[in-house]
Amino acid sequence: MHERMTIITTAGRPDELSDELAQKAHRALGFPIVPRNKRSVQRLQKEYGKDVLVAGKERYELFRIGMEKPFFFHPNSAAFRLKRVQQGETDPLIEASGLKIGDHFLDCTLGLASDSIIAANHIGKSGRCMGLEADATVAFLTQVGLQTFATDSSMLSEAMAAIEVMHMEAVEFLKTQKTASWDVVYIDPMFSSPIEESSNFSALRQAGVHKTLTEEWVREALRVCKRSVVVKERYDSVVFDQFAFKRTIRPSSKIHFGTITK
């Protein structure tokens, strides 16, 4: 899979920790490390003509050329959604997918792992949650973030720790799986048209790999799932009718879920 050209550098005032984090990213991704030498990210992009991954003390930040803001890991809406679950509310993903304790959940489009966090919490330690991410750098940042993000919530930390991250294109991975090997296969193709969203989700849209849902993707997902395939899309997406997903109407939201149940 072709990966974008990227360089790795440290924070503006590098220390031993920044150097270690830069080396960690280099070992995982193979991108070269460039000394910061007090240069701005914009200057590095201009001099090298490449995207810049900054290994900071608090987190990694990915600055792709042309991006308005950097991409970095944060559980975003998942933290708020888990609080609602604690208060007895039902999460729309769980409602649409019918996930049960002990289920195996495959997220074909991991991104920031917000939905996988909700799924991992619901299925518990007896379940399995794996997320696929086609972009190597996004996969690395999300994997590291899931393992290291500081939170006082044990529910959030346990859910994040339970997610397996796989850098692989979804259809390619699905073809390697046995028939009916995952209870629920989940697809969030990242809405073709933007809606109101967090600034970091906007950065993910710019940083991530964009894939349109195809007949092959749906066919492989249906083969691999034991119970259902779930898709999340804008309310006005053609995907629901195109692939005969049964839509879960959410009058107060522009985001709808669709399900094909075996």
Side-chain angles (χ1 to χ4, degrees):
M1 184 183 300
H2 175 70
E3 293 296 342
R4 296 173 61 113
M5 296 300 292
T6 304
I7 57 173
I8 301 168
T9 194
T10 57
R13 295 183 178 180
D15 58 9
E16 188 175 335
L17 177 58
S18 293
D19 290 335
E20 288 178 3
L21 292 173
Q23 289 291 340
K24 180 177 181 178
H26 169 69
R27 290 191 298 270
L29 298 167
F31 301 140
I33 298 175
V34 173
R36 186 67 179 258
N37 293 340
K38 298 182 180 180
R39 291 173 290 185
S40 68
V41 169
Q42 290 73 22
R43 183 177 170 186
L44 287 169
Q45 288 177 332
K46 188 174 181 179
E47 287 184 11
Y48 290 89
K50 297 180 181 180
D51 301 331
V52 178
L53 177 60
V54 177
K57 300 174 184 178
E58 302 293 328
R59 65 195 183 197
Y60 290 100
E61 292 189 343
L62 175 62
F63 294 80
R64 291 241 159 104
I65 294 174
M67 283 176 56
E68 298 169 4
K69 296 181 179 179
F71 169 77
F72 56 88
F73 175 81
H74 192 283
N76 286 316
S77 62
F80 301 106
R81 289 163 68 185
L82 282 183
K83 287 182 180 179
R84 295 192 188 105
V85 170
Q86 280 184 305
Q87 295 168 358
E89 295 184 33
T90 301
D91 188 88
L93 169 63
I94 305 304
E95 191 173 27
S97 63
L99 270 180
K100 305 172 184 176
I101 294 173
D103 273 352
H104 287 200
F105 177 85
L106 179 64
D107 185 344
C108 289
T109 46
L110 183 64
L112 285 162
S114 294
D115 289 313
S116 277
I117 290 171
I118 301 302
N121 172 73
H122 190 79
I123 63 182
K125 294 181 180 180
S126 60
R128 183 184 184 191
C129 180
M130 176 181 282
L132 310 176
E133 175 52 52
D135 185 284
T137 308
V138 172
F140 171 73
L141 267 62
T142 297
Q143 183 174 40
V144 172
L146 288 169
Q147 296 168 350
T148 62
F149 184 82
T151 175
D152 294 329
S153 169
S154 58
M155 177 183 283
L156 177 58
S157 61
E158 287 175 10
M160 290 192 297
I163 299 169
E164 304 170 46
V165 179
M166 172 75 71
H167 164 227
M168 200 167 184
E169 194 273 329
V171 176
E172 183 183 340
F173 179 82
L174 287 168
K175 288 179 177 179
T176 70
Q177 299 300 288
K178 295 180 180 179
T179 298
S181 53
W182 294 86
D183 293 291
V184 175
V185 176
Y186 176 67
I187 305 169
D188 174 5
M190 200 172 315
F191 322 116
S192 53
S193 302
I195 55 176
E196 292 182 13
E197 58 198 22
S198 71
S199 60
N200 203 30
F201 191 92
S202 178
L204 172 61
R205 181 190 301 284
Q206 293 175 288
V209 174
H210 299 269
K211 292 284 186 179
T212 302
L213 196 59
T214 62
E215 290 185 11
E216 182 183 31
W217 193 347
V218 174
R219 183 173 65 249
E220 284 298 318
L222 282 169
R223 180 187 65 80
V224 168
C225 84
K226 186 181 298 183
R227 199 164 66 243
S228 64
V229 175
V230 180
V231 66
K232 179 168 77 173
E233 259 287 9
R234 277 180 57 103
Y235 70 98
D236 54 358
S237 171
V238 300
V239 161
F240 301 108
D241 292 334
Q242 183 180 359
F243 299 106
F245 282 93
K246 182 179 179 182
R247 190 195 304 238
T248 301
I249 302 296
R250 303 176 65 208
S252 60
S253 175
K254 293 182 179 179
I255 303 170
H256 288 183
F257 290 90
T259 309
I260 299 177
T261 305
K262 284 191 171 179

